[in-house]
Amino acid sequence: MTSTIANTRFSVLDRSRTREGQDAPEALRDTVRLARQLESLGYHRFWVSEHHSVPGVAGSAPTVLAAAVAAATSTIRVGTGGVMLPNHRPLVVAEQFGVLESLFPGRIDMGLGRSVGFTDGIRRALGKDKRAMDLTDFAERIGELLGWFTGDQALYPQVHALPAEGLRPEPFVLAMGEGADIAAAAGLPMVVGDLRGRDRMLRAVERYRAGFRPSAWSQRPQVIIAGTVAVAGSEEEARRLLVPEAWSMAHSRTRGVFPPLAPAGRIETLPMTAKEREFYESGLRGHVQGTEEQVAAALESVIGETGADEVLVTTSTYDRDALLESFTRLARVAELGRVPVPNPPIHSAG
């Protein structure tokens, strides 16, 4: 292991993907189980996501699921990657995270994104449209949300977010491109992905660091890079971990349906149209994958290029045992739980 990797935190985002033959409740229970396993391996934080009306994803209520994860664990940080702020009133988000921080003090992360529903129908059901993703509106919502915690919000005099006011869950902005400006101006840590778009990622990181303004939440710029990492005993085994997600994405891009994850062996025998094959092969390329030695070299490269403080692993696959083995091998690469990782407070006292 290199000093670069040793000084980097490693965390996981799980989207509660369903598998063929498995229902959504089982996928959610798998998420909680995985969090406990990753805590024992020494991962720094565990995040859950927000998706609406996506058949292959069970995670639709991230703060509720985060509460279940936090209750089932004791040391790992728990949060959202993220709550999609355009879908919610900032007051309600503040109240929810205030409850989480009250119940699990010092362990709660508040990852915030600006996506809305995937289709017009979902957006209508949420009472939103694509205009809800406006960058200016997103920045204003973040400002209001943080103000509910500090007590400084001025839009609604004599209204208080309880029990959030005075508490400090750790806020993060999920950002690419211009979203980096919002994270920088707010003085918040930034999560940027994915690892396959290296040039775009580097531009976002540079933009963020150049514009960062210290705040009560973070005195320095902090960068978390996110993406798929697959580690196995051989290159071929690592590639097979990627097959279910690659096919699911190809299927959604060509048929408009995001299906549950299927076994890699069956997918590899499927007839595919030229367009499906194109998307499928694209989905297999560019990830950090391979043996422990290969993944260590790849991580050293991307962490060195970006100067990242942390890697957020977003890998999904059909075989849960193989997924846990991949996380176990990655923990071995980084010597998680055995090598102290610097983790200075990201917000100032008071």
Side-chain angles (χ1 to χ4, degrees):
M1 182 185 64
T2 68
S3 60
T4 299
I5 295 176
N7 290 318
T8 304
R9 297 185 293 271
F10 283 80
S11 301
V12 171
L13 165 66
D14 187 70
R15 289 177 290 144
S16 303
R17 295 286 275 112
T18 59
R19 297 175 291 160
E20 285 188 355
Q22 176 197 56
D23 60 15
E26 187 175 354
L28 294 171
R29 290 190 292 269
D30 280 344
T31 290
V32 176
R33 187 179 304 114
L34 179 62
R36 289 197 298 265
Q37 293 166 330
L38 296 180
E39 179 177 65
S40 70
L41 290 172
Y43 283 86
H44 183 62
R45 63 181 101 243
F46 185 91
W47 283 4
V48 296
S49 62
E50 176 180 341
H51 294 274
H52 299 285
S53 191
V54 180
V57 182
S60 58
T63 54
V64 176
L65 184 53
V69 169
T73 56
S74 59
T75 58
I76 195 169
R77 294 193 64 88
V78 177
T80 57
V83 163
M84 296 302 139
L85 206 47
N87 293 337
H88 312 280
R89 296 298 303 176
L91 170 62
V92 175
V93 175
E95 291 170 338
Q96 291 172 345
F97 279 95
V99 170
L100 286 170
E101 180 66 20
S102 297
L103 294 173
F104 310 102
R107 293 179 57 209
I108 299 302
D109 298 328
M110 186 170 60
L112 307 168
R114 67 183 182 96
S115 295
V116 292
F118 292 119
T119 68
D120 288 338
I122 297 171
R123 289 190 285 270
R124 286 196 299 272
L126 291 169
K128 305 295 177 182
D129 56 32
K130 287 187 175 180
R131 288 175 295 180
M133 296 174 65
D134 178 76
L135 283 165
T136 300
D137 181 71
F138 183 49
E140 291 173 351
R141 283 174 177 263
I142 289 176
E144 180 189 336
L145 174 62
L146 298 180
W148 288 115
F149 288 98
T150 61
D152 295 332
Q153 73 80 27
L155 292 174
Y156 307 98
Q158 300 182 334
V159 180
H160 301 271
L162 303 175
E165 192 169 302
L167 299 181
R168 289 293 190 274
E170 305 286 14
F172 299 80
V173 176
L174 280 59
M176 281 295 285
E178 294 179 354
D181 297 336
I182 293 175
L188 299 180
M190 179 181 73
V191 183
V192 58
D194 67 34
L195 295 173
R196 294 190 297 171
R198 191 71 54 87
D199 290 343
R200 188 181 179 202
M201 175 183 286
L202 288 171
R203 288 195 299 271
V205 169
E206 291 170 1
R207 188 168 182 164
Y208 167 69
R209 288 202 176 103
F212 184 84
R213 297 195 300 226
S215 72
W217 299 91
S218 184
Q219 294 298 301
R220 62 179 180 84
Q222 292 192 73
V223 173
I224 300 178
I225 55 174
T228 295
V229 180
V231 198
S234 69
E235 290 184 68
E236 180 56 29
E237 288 173 333
R239 180 186 180 279
R240 285 173 65 83
L241 283 171
L242 306 175
V243 165
E245 187 70 46
W247 168 244
S248 186
M249 291 298 295
H251 191 280
S252 70
R253 295 287 297 275
T254 55
R255 307 186 193 186
V257 177
F258 205 99
L261 298 174
R266 187 172 70 76
I267 292 169
E268 290 172 332
T269 66
L270 290 175
M272 299 184 192
T273 66
K275 184 58 70 174
E276 286 173 337
R277 177 67 64 180
E278 178 184 346
F279 284 127
Y280 171 68
E281 295 292 344
S282 174
L284 294 172
R285 292 193 294 267
H287 303 288
V288 173
Q289 59 181 294
T291 64
E292 292 175 36
E293 294 76 14
Q294 290 169 323
V295 166
L299 287 173
E300 182 178 12
S301 174
V302 68
I303 294 168
E305 286 184 64
T306 59
D309 300 280
E310 187 169 336
V311 177
L312 180 68
V313 183
T314 62
T315 311
S316 297
T317 194
Y318 174 85
D319 188 333
R320 300 292 294 190
D321 290 337
L323 179 63
L324 180 58
E325 180 185 349
S326 177
F327 285 131
T328 302
R329 288 178 178 272
L330 178 59
R332 188 155 56 231
V333 168
E335 295 190 8
L336 301 184
R338 288 184 287 168
V339 176
V341 176
N343 185 26
I346 68 168
H347 59 74
S348 60

